Amino acid sequence: MTARSEYHQLYNLSAWRRRLRPQHLERQPLCQACLRRGLINDGSLTSAGVEQSNPRRRFLVVDHLIPHRGDRALFLDPSNLQTLCPDDHDQNKQRLETRGYSEERGDDGWPIDPQHPANQ
Ligand SMILES: [Zn+2]
């Protein structure tokens, strides 16, 4: 198991902060979960589509499709990233914590998390 501090250290890597994260947001500047529901959200809206009244939640999260669980290679894989608004990110995270796996699906509709029962 990876220690918790080590896990968080990944987010301090300059490869993440200066390159991967800003480059991803430039390429994908909208919440992908909102987009799937037909909502254009650049971080200024809630997941319900109304203006985000809390300025501290007016941003976009760069989320990992397959939970990296401290795995550096998975963490730094540009194809493992998606943009989410804070609402959708929280929801994803909660589901992940309850179930232990991500429900994210690839372009072929198949769950991409190796921990997903469909991949066991
Ligand atoms: Zn969203």
Side-chain angles (χ1 to χ4, degrees), residues 31 33-34 37 41 47 85 88:
C31 170
C34 284
R37 295 192 300 267
N41 187 0
S47 61
C85 67
D88 281 314

Side-chain angles (χ1 to χ4, degrees), residues 30 34-35 38-42 44-45:
L30 298 170
C34 284
L35 207 57
L39 196 69
I40 306 288
N41 187 0
D42 63 358
S44 61
L45 306 177

Side-chain angles (χ1 to χ4, degrees), residues 99-116:
R99 297 198 191 129
Y101 55 85
S102 164
E103 276 289 348
E104 286 303 324
R105 278 151 205 274
D107 294 335
D108 58 2
W110 193 260
I112 53 178
D113 188 350
Q115 307 291 328
H116 193 286

Side-chain angles (χ1 to χ4, degrees), residues 17-120:
R17 295 166 65 100
R18 303 222 177 99
R19 285 207 306 275
L20 210 53
R21 191 178 183 282
Q23 276 170 9
H24 175 82
L25 284 172
E26 210 167 289
R27 208 155 36 92
Q28 201 179 77
L30 298 170
C31 170
Q32 297 301 293
C34 284
L35 207 57
R36 282 195 286 271
R37 295 192 300 267
L39 196 69
I40 306 288
N41 187 0
D42 63 358
S44 61
L45 306 177
T46 69
S47 61
V50 298
E51 196 182 317
Q52 176 59 263
S53 55
N54 182 352
R56 301 178 88 176
R57 286 180 73 80
R58 225 174 274 157
F59 67 101
L60 289 165
V61 182
V62 176
D63 180 50
H64 291 82
L65 290 162
I66 302 175
H68 60 83
R69 299 182 173 97
D71 182 320
R72 199 183 165 110
L74 207 51
F75 179 84
L76 293 173
D77 181 356
S79 66
N80 189 32
L81 302 176
Q82 70 171 340
T83 304
L84 290 177
C85 67
D87 288 351
D88 281 314
H89 182 246
D90 288 353
Q91 246 177 20
N92 263 12
K93 217 168 101 182
Q94 269 169 19
R95 277 202 300 258
L96 194 70
E97 272 160 18
T98 322
R99 297 198 191 129
Y101 55 85
S102 164
E103 276 289 348
E104 286 303 324
R105 278 151 205 274
D107 294 335
D108 58 2
W110 193 260
I112 53 178
D113 188 350
Q115 307 291 328
H116 193 286
N119 291 323
Q120 299 289 306

